[in-house]
Amino acid sequence: MAWDGGMSTPPPPGPPAHRDAGRPAPAQCSSSPAPTRWSGTDTGPLPVPVLRPLQRAALSTLRAGHRIAKGGLRGVDAADAQQVVAFPTPTVHALLRYGFIEEEDTSGVYRATDHGLRALAVLPAS
C-alpha cells in the first residue's frame, strides 16, 4: 500500500522494525561464548574412530548453542537452566576424556572445544 500524502504519517523507510527492537539485550555470561563451528585449525588424530549416539547428540546440542551438564541440572543456576541440557554422566566423562568438551565453570556446566566440534564434523556415527 503506497502512502497517499494524506493526514497520516508515512511509514518509516526501510524494513519494518522488529518487535523486540526497543528491549534491552539479555545479560550475557562473563565467560567466553562456546564456539558453534569448527574453526578449521584443529588438526591431528582424533582419539576415537566413531562417535556414539549420545556423544553425537551432546556435541550437536553444544553446536546448537546450548550447554550440557552431567547427570542432571543440580547446581545449575535457575537462570541458566533453560540453556543447559543434561546428559548421562558416562557420556560427559568420555567427552571430557577425549578433550571434546571443557568445564565452563565450577557449576558443572560444559561447553564444546574446537576439537569436539571437529570430531562432530568429521567422525561418522556408530
Side-chain angles (χ1 to χ4, degrees), residues 97 114 116:
R97 185 174 60 244
D114 195 43

Side-chain angles (χ1 to χ4, degrees), residues 1-26:
M1 175 167 98
W3 182 60
D4 63 354
M7 298 295 270
S8 65
T9 59
H18 189 271
R19 64 183 173 90
D20 293 335
R23 294 184 184 175

Side-chain angles (χ1 to χ4, degrees), residues 36-74:
T36 57
R37 297 179 72 184
W38 171 41
S39 70
T41 59
D42 183 69
T43 59
L46 289 168
V48 292
V50 296
L51 287 173
R52 310 281 310 181
L54 280 175
Q55 293 170 348
R56 179 169 295 282
L59 290 172
S60 294
T61 298
L62 292 167
R63 184 179 61 192
H66 297 284
R67 294 172 296 164
I68 65 170
K70 62 182 171 186
L73 300 180
R74 183 175 294 144

